[in-house]
Amino acid sequence: MPRYKSADRERLVAEARRRLLDAALGEFAAQGYAGANINHISLAAGFAQGTVYNYYPSKRALFAAVIGDIAARQGELVLQGAASAPTPAMRLERFLAAGLAFAQGFPAAARLVAATLYGADAEARALAQHAYEPLASYVTKEIVLAGQQEGTFRTVDAELAGAAIMALYLCGCTAHGAPLRANPRAAAALILEGLRRGT
Amino acid sequence: MPRYKSADRERLVAEARRRLLDAALGEFAAQGYAGANINHISLAAGFAQGTVYNYYPSKRALFAAVIGDIAARQGELVLQGAASAPTPAMRLERFLAAGLAFAQGFPAAARLVAATLYGADAEARALAQHAYEPLASYVTKEIVLAGQQEGTFRTVDAELAGAAIMALYLCGCTAHGAPLRANPRAAAALILEGLRRGT
Amino acid sequence: MPRYKSADRERLVAEARRRLLDAALGEFAAQGYAGANINHISLAAGFAQGTVYNYYPSKRALFAAVIGDIAARQGELVLQGAASAPTPAMRLERFLAAGLAFAQGFPAAARLVAATLYGADAEARALAQHAYEPLASYVTKEIVLAGQQEGTFRTVDAELAGAAIMALYLCGCTAHGAPLRANPRAAAALILEGLRRGT
Amino acid sequence: MPRYKSADRERLVAEARRRLLDAALGEFAAQGYAGANINHISLAAGFAQGTVYNYYPSKRALFAAVIGDIAARQGELVLQGAASAPTPAMRLERFLAAGLAFAQGFPAAARLVAATLYGADAEARALAQHAYEPLASYVTKEIVLAGQQEGTFRTVDAELAGAAIMALYLCGCTAHGAPLRANPRAAAALILEGLRRGT
DNA sequence: CATGAATGAGAGTTCATTCAT
DNA sequence: CATGAATGAACTCTCATTCAT
């Protein structure tokens, strides 16, 4: 009978989970979900093999927790950054800047999210899509649609524009993405003004 | 064993490889590299399990061959489509249209490429990057830079613009990509004109 | 630490053991020895996981205690029931009635004993055989042999008859045993009179 | 493409299965289902660990095959022995003699069946009950009921008598069963005539 | 004496790879 | 060159047991 579940206990549990999430993020980002070794994660977190299972009931559950954790942290940061801007154009710029800063600060997390969203594992993909739904819908509604209603954005298909922005945003951390990361302001300008020289 | 292989022999070998590549593409796209089962591939290709090893020395080598094959077929199609267009803007449009048509015609291939380029497996990523280098540099040189030299494109960072176009292009087949695929002409317009309404 | 334990202390310990034995009986009966989870037992007894080890040094020891406990309770009940009967035939009837009543009242216990006595685990089997020796020898001596000496029973091999009765008795709770349980009087008659119609 | 699945191949497969079934019988009988180690079985059969899975898809399936194999062999032997006898009484005697001879010849098989039928594992029990249904219904119909219709057997509850005979039969290989096995004729007489001396 | 997080050996199962036929 | 049985390392997950608190 747990006598009162001291705050101490809870803090220890939270810290153990933190260590596991961090170790898991590293492993999943480096090896992919299928390639990750759950015992390595446990050992990397400073536990014995099998101790993960005292905190998460399965590899999948641990993975879900990792993705959820990333999405929450990134969402908070990014939406906070963008929300305070008065115009849709500025929100776009801040959105990209905050997101790409996150990718720069936590490259493993960014890589893992992209790998999951564009990977073959349907279950994992659904999970990540669900976790990133708030960000995606923020872009579509508060940036693209808002700019169109305000009259400063062209009336292109909002979904199309949203998908394009999300693609840039999510790929800003991998492969061909280095220039995006290095220059979020220019990326925003590119989206706003397009490639063609104005008349 | 005749040293001089009959052309017949070679054709049979080529056809066997074709069957294996097709089966492997399906399996890798559906399960990811780590999740793919090489014996299933062999069986799906109409061979016994283990027969892959008469044609490819390892799972990795088979995977590399699959990626190489996709890149070659896609490159041929896309560059062919784009090269005949006289202006950089038209080349961009045709490039996107041809690429997204490829993604529509061979969704498994498109998904596999994106998953590999944005996935966690560093070795596989390097492989795919190398295979897609021609496409990427075509975009940068023959579209972005050419348009700038011609005077019709803004002088934004060419690498940045190239990366953005490749991101759109590659993600046009997955996750948030559905609207892109459905509407390549609008996607090209978005890249050319940007979001902001002209003055 | 007072050497002289207060009676209070001892009562508490006895009650804790009781709870553990009851919980263990349920788990062992439901899952078998190998399949039983000792932490589940501890929790089901209202303790934390691991607390069993304050009362029993190992899973095996706990198991032995469970079997011993059942044998003791069943033996007391059954022998009490049978001992007061004046003739061997009546003792047989009461023996079966009491035993099958026990099986009806404590089905988990009955099932566990049969599973142990007829199970694969040699160590457990030896343990249970030892615990049930008193019952077995009661049947052989006080029922079969006594009846033969009295002149009312045929002089069949006493051990054989004893084994047959014990088999019926122990299987009266499982598998094909339902009719036995339902009808102890008829079972006794069957043993006494046999199948063949008297001349 | 298997060219013609030579009889050779099939013989080899059958022989491999035989080795595995034998090894599995030994392990399951000695350790119980839950306690058995499937890699030990594979090694004991002369294969590497994991090779069982080329022949049976799971531990449970292997177990089912073992039980099915025993039931088939025992059923053939026992029913053959009993069926040729003209009267129900003789069928009973032969049934017991054949069954107990089987138990003597294949003690591990007999022990495993009893352990399964009286064990805690519900799934395994159902399996074994199903496999032994033919024997059980033979006893009830062709022995007990037939004897009653013929007029030579008392009209006791047929199910009760059948269950009693099956219990004796199945327990003839364990625990208190040694005398039964040693003396099947006397066991049959006991069932037919009962314990009580005729008047 | 109770707790329950931690341990780590060991379980069932998968599968890339080999090789005798 | 095709076959497919065999291999055995490696995986995820379980759980009896320990011990600091």
Side-chain angles (χ1 to χ4, degrees):
Chain A
M1 279 162 271
R3 267 193 265 284
Y4 54 105
K5 191 68 163 179
S6 69
D8 223 36
R9 264 270 193 284
E10 270 177 34
R11 192 164 34 75
L12 254 59
V13 164
E15 199 234 311
R17 275 190 220 266
R18 209 15 331 117
R19 274 156 64 196
L20 285 166
L21 286 177
D22 289 345
L25 169 51
E27 176 88 1
F28 284 134
Q31 318 288 340
Y33 176 77
N37 181 321
I38 212 168
N39 286 337
H40 290 178
I41 293 174
S42 210
L43 293 168
F47 291 112
Q49 88 179 101
T51 300
V52 216
Y53 289 92
N54 291 350
Y55 294 93
Y56 297 97
S58 68
K59 191 186 187 184
R60 265 252 121 84
L62 174 60
F63 183 76
V66 170
I67 294 288
D69 181 57
I70 297 173
R73 287 197 287 159
Q74 186 173 6
E76 193 179 0
L77 205 79
V78 168
L79 296 183
Q80 216 172 43
S84 61
T87 69
M90 288 175 72
R91 287 205 279 276
L92 171 63
E93 194 175 308
R94 295 223 187 138
F95 175 85
L96 282 177
L100 298 178
F102 181 85
Q104 203 129 20
F106 306 93
R111 155 144 294 166
L112 178 58
V113 169
T116 305
L117 280 169
Y118 296 114
D121 186 328
E123 203 180 327
R125 216 162 48 221
L127 213 117
Q129 275 172 14
H130 182 256
Y132 274 84
E133 208 281 320
L135 276 186
S137 86
Y138 180 84
V139 169
T140 303
K141 289 187 199 141
E142 303 299 325
I143 296 181
V144 178
L145 278 175
Q148 294 179 338
Q149 279 164 8
E150 195 195 52
T152 53
F153 284 4
R154 267 179 233 288
T155 51
V156 301
D157 181 320
E159 263 198 78
L160 173 78
I165 293 171
M166 283 305 286
L168 287 190
Y169 177 71
L170 287 163
C171 298
C173 40
T174 43
H176 307 277
L180 293 176
R181 225 173 324 151
N183 204 350
R185 180 166 307 222
L190 180 65
I191 293 174
L192 288 172
E193 314 300 340
L195 259 184
R196 181 131 46 201
R197 182 189 295 281
T199 54
Chain B
M1 279 164 272
R3 168 84 56 69
Y4 51 92
K5 283 230 176 69
S6 72
D8 223 35
R9 198 54 141 202
E10 270 178 34
R11 195 162 34 72
L12 253 59
V13 166
E15 197 235 313
R17 278 192 219 265
R18 189 60 287 130
R19 275 155 61 197
L20 285 167
L21 287 177
D22 289 345
L25 169 53
E27 176 89 358
F28 284 133
Q31 318 287 341
Y33 176 77
N37 183 323
I38 209 170
N39 287 334
H40 290 178
I41 293 174
S42 210
L43 294 168
F47 291 109
Q49 90 183 104
T51 299
V52 221
Y53 286 89
N54 292 329
Y55 295 93
Y56 298 96
S58 69
K59 192 186 186 185
R60 263 253 121 84
L62 173 61
F63 182 76
V66 169
I67 294 290
D69 180 58
I70 298 172
R73 287 198 287 160
Q74 187 174 7
E76 194 177 2
L77 205 81
V78 169
L79 296 182
Q80 215 171 46
S84 62
T87 69
M90 288 175 72
R91 286 205 281 276
L92 171 63
E93 195 176 306
R94 294 224 188 137
F95 175 86
L96 283 176
L100 298 179
F102 181 86
Q104 206 128 20
F106 306 92
R111 156 147 290 172
L112 178 58
V113 169
T116 305
L117 278 169
Y118 297 114
D121 187 327
E123 202 179 327
R125 215 160 51 221
L127 215 119
Q129 276 172 16
H130 182 256
Y132 274 82
E133 214 286 318
L135 275 187
S137 86
Y138 180 84
V139 169
T140 304
K141 289 188 199 139
E142 304 298 326
I143 296 182
V144 179
L145 276 175
Q148 294 178 338
Q149 280 165 9
E150 193 194 55
T152 52
F153 284 4
R154 264 178 237 290
T155 51
V156 300
D157 179 321
E159 261 199 80
L160 174 79
I165 294 171
M166 283 305 288
L168 286 189
Y169 176 71
L170 288 162
C171 297
C173 40
T174 43
H176 305 276
L180 292 178
R181 223 174 326 152
N183 205 350
R185 180 166 307 223
L190 179 65
I191 292 175
L192 288 173
E193 314 301 340
L195 259 184
R196 180 126 53 195
R197 180 190 293 282
T199 54
Chain C
M1 278 163 271
R3 167 86 57 67
Y4 51 94
K5 286 231 177 65
S6 70
D8 224 35
R9 196 69 143 183
E10 270 178 34
R11 194 159 36 70
L12 252 59
V13 166
E15 198 235 313
R17 278 192 217 265
R18 186 65 283 131
R19 274 155 61 197
L20 286 166
L21 288 177
D22 288 346
L25 169 52
E27 176 88 0
F28 284 132
Q31 317 288 341
Y33 176 76
N37 182 323
I38 209 169
N39 287 334
H40 290 179
I41 293 174
S42 211
L43 294 169
F47 291 109
Q49 91 184 106
T51 299
V52 221
Y53 287 89
N54 293 328
Y55 294 94
Y56 298 96
S58 69
K59 192 186 188 185
R60 263 253 122 82
L62 173 61
F63 183 76
V66 170
I67 294 290
D69 180 57
I70 297 172
R73 288 198 287 161
Q74 186 173 8
E76 193 178 2
L77 205 80
V78 169
L79 296 183
Q80 214 172 47
S84 61
T87 69
M90 288 173 72
R91 286 204 281 276
L92 172 63
E93 194 175 308
R94 295 221 187 140
F95 175 86
L96 284 177
L100 298 178
F102 180 85
Q104 206 128 19
F106 306 93
R111 157 147 290 172
L112 179 57
V113 169
T116 306
L117 278 168
Y118 297 114
D121 186 327
E123 202 179 327
R125 216 163 50 222
L127 213 120
Q129 276 172 16
H130 182 256
Y132 273 83
E133 213 286 315
L135 274 187
S137 85
Y138 180 85
V139 169
T140 305
K141 288 187 201 140
E142 303 300 326
I143 297 183
V144 179
L145 276 176
Q148 295 178 338
Q149 279 165 9
E150 194 195 55
T152 51
F153 284 3
R154 263 179 237 290
T155 51
V156 300
D157 180 321
E159 262 198 81
L160 174 79
I165 294 170
M166 282 305 287
L168 287 189
Y169 176 70
L170 287 163
C171 297
C173 39
T174 42
H176 307 276
L180 292 177
R181 223 173 326 151
N183 205 350
R185 180 166 306 222
L190 179 65
I191 293 175
L192 288 173
E193 314 300 339
L195 258 184
R196 178 125 55 196
R197 182 190 294 282
T199 52
Chain D
M1 280 162 270
R3 267 193 264 283
Y4 54 106
K5 190 70 165 178
S6 71
D8 223 35
R9 264 269 191 283
E10 270 178 34
R11 194 164 34 74
L12 253 59
V13 165
E15 198 233 313
R17 274 191 219 267
R18 202 33 315 122
R19 274 156 64 196
L20 284 166
L21 287 178
D22 290 346
L25 169 53
E27 176 87 359
F28 284 134
Q31 318 288 340
Y33 176 77
N37 181 321
I38 212 167
N39 285 336
H40 290 177
I41 293 174
S42 210
L43 294 168
F47 292 111
Q49 89 180 102
T51 300
V52 217
Y53 288 92
N54 291 350
Y55 294 93
Y56 297 96
S58 69
K59 191 185 186 185
R60 264 253 122 82
L62 173 61
F63 183 76
V66 170
I67 294 289
D69 181 58
I70 297 172
R73 287 197 288 159
Q74 186 174 7
E76 193 179 2
L77 205 81
V78 168
L79 295 183
Q80 214 171 45
S84 62
T87 69
M90 287 175 72
R91 286 204 282 275
L92 172 62
E93 194 175 309
R94 295 222 187 139
F95 176 86
L96 282 178
L100 298 178
F102 181 85
Q104 203 129 20
F106 306 92
R111 155 144 295 164
L112 178 57
V113 170
T116 305
L117 280 169
Y118 296 115
D121 186 328
E123 203 179 328
R125 216 162 49 221
L127 213 118
Q129 275 172 15
H130 183 255
Y132 273 84
E133 209 281 320
L135 276 186
S137 87
Y138 181 84
V139 169
T140 304
K141 289 187 201 141
E142 303 299 325
I143 296 182
V144 178
L145 278 175
Q148 293 177 340
Q149 279 165 7
E150 193 195 53
T152 51
F153 284 2
R154 266 180 235 291
T155 51
V156 300
D157 180 321
E159 262 200 80
L160 174 78
I165 293 170
M166 282 306 287
L168 286 190
Y169 177 71
L170 287 164
C171 297
C173 39
T174 43
H176 307 278
L180 292 175
R181 223 174 325 150
N183 204 349
R185 179 165 307 221
L190 180 65
I191 292 174
L192 288 172
E193 314 300 339
L195 258 184
R196 180 132 46 202
R197 181 188 294 283
T199 53

